[in-house]
Amino acid sequence: MIDLRPSPDQQQVIDSIGGYLRRAFPVERFQPGKAPETTERNAWRELAQQGFFGLAAPEEVGGAGFSVIEEMLAQREMARTLLSPSVLAAGLAAHVAHAAGLNDLAAAIVAGERHVAFGSEIDPLGAGPVLDGILHLIDSQAGDLIVVMTAGGPILFERDELTEPAPIAGMDETLALHRAEARSLRALAQAPELRSRSTLLCAAALLGTAEAARDLAVKHAGIREQFGKPIGAFQAVAHHCADMELRARAARAQTAFAAIALADGRTDAAFNVSAAALVSSDAAIRNATMAIRVLGAMGFTAECALHLYLKRSHLYELLAGGSRVHCADLLRHDGASIRAAD
Amino acid sequence: MQFAFAEQDILFRRQVRAWIAANKPAGLRPDDGEAMRAFDLGWQRSKYEGGWAGLAWPREYGGLGLSAMQQIIWYEECARARAPLEGCLSICLNHAGPTIIAFGSEEQKATYLPPILRGEVVWCQGFSEPGAGSDLAALRLRGEIRGESIILNGQKIWTSHAHVADYQETLIRTGALTPKHKGLSWVIVDMKAPGITIRPIRTIAHNHHFCEVFYEDVEVPLANVVGAVDDGWRVGMSTLSFERGGLSAGRAAELRYLVEELIELARETGGGEIDGDTAAQLARLRAEAAALQSMVYETVFASADGPPGPEASIDYLYCGELLQRIRLLSLEVLGPRALEAQGEAGRWTLPYLNDRYYLIAGGSAEIRRNIIAERVLGLPRSY
Ligand SMILES: Cc1cc2nc3c(=O)[nH]c(=O)nc-3n(C[C@H](O)[C@H](O)[C@H](O)COP(=O)(O)OP(=O)(O)OC[C@H]3O[C@@H](n4cnc5c(N)ncnc54)[C@H](O)[C@@H]3O)c2cc1C
């Protein structure tokens, strides 16, 4: 059987997560002058109760035991509503802790007892377990756990072990940004085997971003009238929208295939995950770029969510490991990765 | 979501692989004229004799009635073995034949279908005219009904392989010019009939892929109308092919191998090394070819029981544009040899010229974008 669409059970996961997020974290919460009532941080326990941090974690640490496929589908929904990447960071951190045998830590993360945030390397931290280097922290506070995607896979450590995290203005104003330094820092856990999984989940976030930008543009193009008709009736606009669909569709199919490959332990999983990351990054960045144009000056405002999709695209592209790295990885595979069907 | 092959599919793949390895035609496919015709017919005859003719055709018409999965496996194995596709027989196997099966009379079926499967005839498709390209329904080739005959006067153009064809599936105007979709008829025209003049057209790719066809008082039996007179638009436009996306899966697989060949070429040209910029582009092509294959799998099995939806049009467009990127990069990789059109370089430069027709023929890239915007995204009609 080949079926790249969600099964009815998987669709239910999508609908319930998507439905919850649209109610609890509507995209409109980011409109300027409107401090969001609920933030991911103050709703952290509730997110834990909803199962966000342990979707695919094993039951022994309090997880729901879903496969990486459901986890991918959930991540796509989270990105659509611009949920903080910290939620993904927590899910990943639980995997990393569990993989390193730190079941108590994993359980604390799944239960929402520990906050987690992403780090992103500026000056690479090295192969671990002792880390030296410079990094960004995304949406973090003192006391958080930090998960960073390194060349050797995701690693986990305490934020408080870093030297003087300094706040700096970030492109995405909805996510606090810090610059920090690791000096002979000891990682709590390191999980090279989770590299593909964390890349795939970032690819899913990029996919959700690409789709959300497409949807905003298509909706606008059907409503906004100029010269006496909807702008979507102008071919230049219609074709921009068609291109967004083309890219989103490629990203969706490849991310789905990569998730299946990973879930089934196929030998071409790493190849397909890298391909998903590349195709999804391209879709997210270009769809957000074009969508901003389709909305005209409205798209240029902070009131419209599109700028956040654009900014998140760049963030997730980095968190996915960076397109340069995936290009290099993809070329390292030999021709054996060709035949999906064999 | 799943991707798994049943035991019987795996067995089927083995069987196909072994048969293709033992029977695929030797040598390169000539890309023009009688030699090309003979090559394509020969391959079809082997398939017929080996029991592999009419993969997608229903069994009652001599086909194999293969499932979508089996069709995909067949085409993927062809790509793997670098075995040729149907070539100039694509029209009769994938369009004219299926149209006759769906709309033809018993007599038409008995007369025209078996020779197609046996690899005895070539068909061409006479749809486009000088004044009717993307706007196909504007066609005017006149068909005047006189007793038991239709008399054709007018012209077709861009008819692929008309100069080597025995029959043409032809859309003609038997009724009024407006409304333009009404008044068309789908007829079988014998290419040897008196009054037909065929003028091959030389293409940018150094071959004669297509022709102009002129009709001067050409007499066609009224019995050659397939479906009803004046109902030709419906007959010609129904997505009749029983081909369930196997071909697009095959094309996706071909593209993946093509990217691999290009990587190989880049390595050889660079003495084992690929420069950074080219390497990044090649990696992207690998990713995109993988994505194309995933898209096709998604589409085929999303519409397994019916004709493919407008999504198939998206996949085709993605495929066509990816192919252009591959071809363009191949010229960069060739460097100064890009000026040559023979030998090793010609294996890349001629297809570089040729393959751009994927974004023109049978629904241009722009027309496909129109369709995506309207039928997939629900935007107002923009054309
Ligand atoms: C290699 C090759 C083989 C072919 N084989 C056959 C064959 O066997 N039988 C047959 O009948 N025909 C055949 N064709 C013809 C093919 O179907 C037509 O070329 C195609 O339908 C486009 O028509 P046109 O060439 O007249 O271009 P036009 O329709 O004039 O288009 C020219 C340009 O305008 C754009 N355009 C036109 N209308 C619109 C619109 N509404 N919105 C946006 N853009 C638009 C097109 O995208 C294109 O870029 C073949 C063509 C090629 C290149």
Side-chain angles (χ1 to χ4, degrees):
Chain A
M1 246 316 260
I2 299 180
D3 190 355
L4 266 54
R5 292 163 305 161
S7 68
D9 283 352
Q10 288 162 344
Q11 189 58 46
Q12 216 171 359
V13 172
I14 297 174
D15 293 343
S16 90
I17 288 182
Y20 166 76
L21 289 175
R22 281 188 292 277
R23 276 193 311 279
F25 296 92
V27 170
E28 296 73 35
R29 71 192 187 282
F30 290 119
Q31 288 186 0
K34 211 196 209 185
E37 291 160 29
T38 339
T39 64
E40 289 81 341
R41 193 168 280 275
N42 65 31
W44 199 258
R45 285 290 183 149
E46 178 175 337
L47 285 166
Q49 275 159 18
Q50 295 283 340
F52 275 85
F53 308 135
L55 273 175
E59 283 165 27
E60 54 177 334
V61 298
F66 282 118
S67 81
V68 68
I69 296 176
E70 286 83 5
E71 200 176 22
M72 177 279 284
L73 293 169
Q75 190 49 52
R76 172 179 167 203
E77 295 304 307
M78 294 186 223
R80 278 171 161 278
T81 59
L82 294 163
L83 204 65
S84 166
S86 294
V87 179
L88 169 58
L92 266 177
H95 285 305
V96 176
H98 177 258
L102 305 175
N103 282 8
D104 290 347
L105 182 59
I109 294 168
V110 171
E113 288 157 17
R114 293 297 312 269
H115 282 279
V116 186
F118 267 118
S120 167
E121 290 180 315
I122 300 171
D123 181 22
L125 298 173
V130 180
L131 309 168
D132 286 281
I134 303 174
L135 70 162
H136 278 136
L137 305 176
I138 318 297
D139 202 18
S140 74
Q141 276 184 11
D144 285 0
L145 285 164
I146 301 295
V147 65
V148 182
M149 173 80 144
T150 68
I155 54 170
L156 186 62
F157 54 82
E158 297 283 355
R159 185 183 191 270
D160 295 349
E161 303 274 308
L162 293 166
T163 312
E164 311 152 19
I168 50 172
M171 185 164 75
D172 183 341
E173 293 169 306
T174 63
L175 299 172
L177 186 68
H178 292 81
R179 217 176 219 267
E181 192 177 345
R183 281 197 210 130
S184 307
L185 184 154
R186 217 156 239 297
L188 292 170
Q190 191 167 2
E193 69 275 26
L194 288 172
R195 188 162 184 256
S196 285
R197 187 178 200 121
S198 53
T199 301
L200 176 80
L201 296 176
C202 292
L206 288 160
L207 164 63
T209 306
E211 293 177 320
R214 172 204 61 196
D215 291 347
L216 280 180
V218 169
K219 186 168 168 220
H220 184 77
I223 296 171
R224 164 73 174 168
E225 293 196 2
Q226 284 294 280
F227 302 97
K229 53 183 174 181
I231 56 169
F234 297 109
Q235 208 162 51
V237 175
H239 285 196
H240 283 323
C241 293
D243 282 331
M244 289 184 230
E245 168 65 8
L246 195 59
R247 292 188 286 260
R249 194 174 157 69
R252 185 180 74 207
Q254 182 57 24
T255 305
F257 187 81
I260 297 170
L262 204 55
D264 293 353
R266 291 173 55 98
T267 52
D268 60 1
F271 174 93
N272 278 296
V273 167
S274 280
L278 268 188
V279 174
S280 300
S281 299
D282 181 63
I285 294 172
R286 288 168 69 188
N287 281 12
T289 300
M290 271 334 300
I292 287 173
R293 272 182 36 205
V294 168
L295 269 82
M298 179 57 82
F300 193 70
T301 65
E303 204 172 311
C304 169
L306 282 172
H307 72 110
L308 293 175
Y309 289 121
L310 178 68
K311 294 164 185 173
R312 297 282 167 101
S313 301
H314 290 287
L315 173 63
Y316 283 115
E317 193 218 3
L318 283 172
L319 293 177
S323 292
R324 266 167 200 282
V325 170
H326 290 297
C327 282
D329 278 3
L330 272 171
L331 266 198
R332 256 197 298 280
H333 293 269
D334 62 18
S337 42
I338 297 301
R339 269 159 284 123
D342 268 14
Chain B
M1 302 202 299
Q2 53 183 323
F3 187 85
F5 294 91
E7 194 59 37
Q8 83 231 32
D9 297 327
I10 294 167
L11 283 175
F12 180 77
R13 187 183 291 278
R14 270 194 219 132
Q15 210 185 337
V16 169
R17 188 174 294 181
W19 189 84
I20 291 176
N23 293 281
K24 75 166 179 182
L28 280 180
R29 176 178 181 265
D31 83 333
D32 207 348
E34 286 300 326
M36 173 196 72
R37 174 186 156 102
F39 182 96
D40 290 343
L41 287 173
W43 177 217
Q44 179 62 24
R45 264 195 301 280
S46 320
K47 283 189 274 186
Y48 180 76
E49 282 154 17
W52 292 105
L55 304 170
W57 289 24
R59 284 168 181 275
E60 54 175 316
Y61 299 108
L64 299 177
L66 295 188
S67 67
M69 178 68 100
Q70 289 170 323
Q71 291 182 41
I72 284 184
I73 291 173
W74 169 272
Y75 282 110
E76 283 183 348
E77 288 303 318
C78 281
R80 183 178 190 279
R82 311 291 196 283
L85 295 177
E86 291 86 358
C88 69
L89 301 187
S90 181
I91 286 295
C92 58
L93 286 164
N94 298 323
H95 199 272
T99 304
I100 292 171
I101 290 174
F103 293 95
S105 65
E106 289 313 311
E107 199 190 328
Q108 287 166 341
K109 290 175 189 170
T111 310
Y112 294 106
L113 298 178
I116 293 177
L117 289 182
R118 289 196 299 260
E120 292 167 0
V121 289
V122 173
W123 285 60
C124 60
Q125 181 179 66
F127 285 11
S128 305
E129 296 180 10
S134 299
D135 186 11
L136 178 60
L139 68 90
R140 327 172 67 107
L141 172 62
R142 191 73 227 161
E144 193 188 325
I145 300 178
R146 270 193 225 148
E148 285 307 299
S149 301
I150 306 183
I151 310 301
L152 303 187
N153 276 291
Q155 179 189 354
K156 292 288 175 186
I157 195 167
W158 321 129
T159 313
S160 298
H161 314 305
H163 55 317
V164 297
D166 303 286
Y167 298 101
Q168 184 181 56
E169 53 161 331
T170 314
L171 269 179
I172 60 172
R173 188 162 295 279
T174 36
L177 268 173
T178 51
K180 62 185 178 181
H181 297 88
K182 300 259 167 68
L184 303 179
S185 299
W186 195 103
V187 295
I188 301 168
V189 174
D190 183 340
M191 293 303 277
K192 309 281 180 316
I196 291 186
T197 308
I198 301 168
R199 198 173 69 78
I201 301 171
R202 189 156 168 86
T203 72
I204 64 174
H206 304 196
N207 61 19
H208 298 90
H209 183 98
F210 48 33
C211 307
E212 275 182 298
V213 183
F214 299 93
Y215 308 76
E216 206 183 327
D217 292 327
V218 175
E219 190 174 341
V220 176
L222 194 55
N224 280 18
V225 174
V226 172
V229 169
D230 289 352
D231 197 25
W233 183 255
R234 193 170 68 94
V235 175
M237 290 306 108
S238 341
T239 312
L240 292 165
S241 183
F242 303 106
E243 193 268 312
R244 288 268 76 97
L247 252 178
S248 50
R251 240 184 263 118
E254 280 188 347
L255 251 58
R256 298 196 73 173
Y257 291 110
L258 187 61
V259 173
E260 296 314 304
E261 283 171 24
L262 182 53
I263 291 171
E264 208 38 56
L265 180 74
R267 280 218 178 90
E268 281 166 19
T269 315
E273 291 290 310
I274 306 180
D275 75 77
D277 182 43
T278 307
Q281 292 188 64
L282 286 167
R284 276 190 190 278
L285 294 178
R286 257 190 172 169
E288 289 163 354
L292 172 67
Q293 193 162 42
S294 301
M295 288 164 85
V296 169
Y297 286 141
E298 190 192 285
T299 305
V300 172
F301 292 95
S303 62
D305 310 321
E311 290 77 18
S313 192
I314 310 187
D315 298 356
Y316 189 91
L317 177 56
Y318 194 86
C319 178
E321 295 192 327
L322 173 56
L323 182 55
Q324 311 306 307
R325 294 194 284 278
I326 299 172
R327 292 298 182 199
L328 184 60
L329 185 57
S330 77
L331 258 69
E332 254 176 67
V333 168
L334 281 175
R337 286 189 296 160
L339 298 180
E340 300 171 6
Q342 64 173 56
E344 179 63 19
R347 276 189 51 224
W348 293 96
T349 52
L350 289 173
Y352 164 76
L353 296 169
N354 189 66
D355 286 354
R356 61 196 61 231
Y357 84 79
Y358 275 86
L359 298 184
I360 303 172
S364 68
E366 291 73 24
I367 294 297
R368 284 175 194 275
R369 286 187 163 80
N370 291 343
I371 293 172
I372 296 168
E374 187 186 357
R375 300 202 209 138
V376 178
L377 299 176
L379 285 171
R381 193 180 159 100
S382 65
Y383 54 100

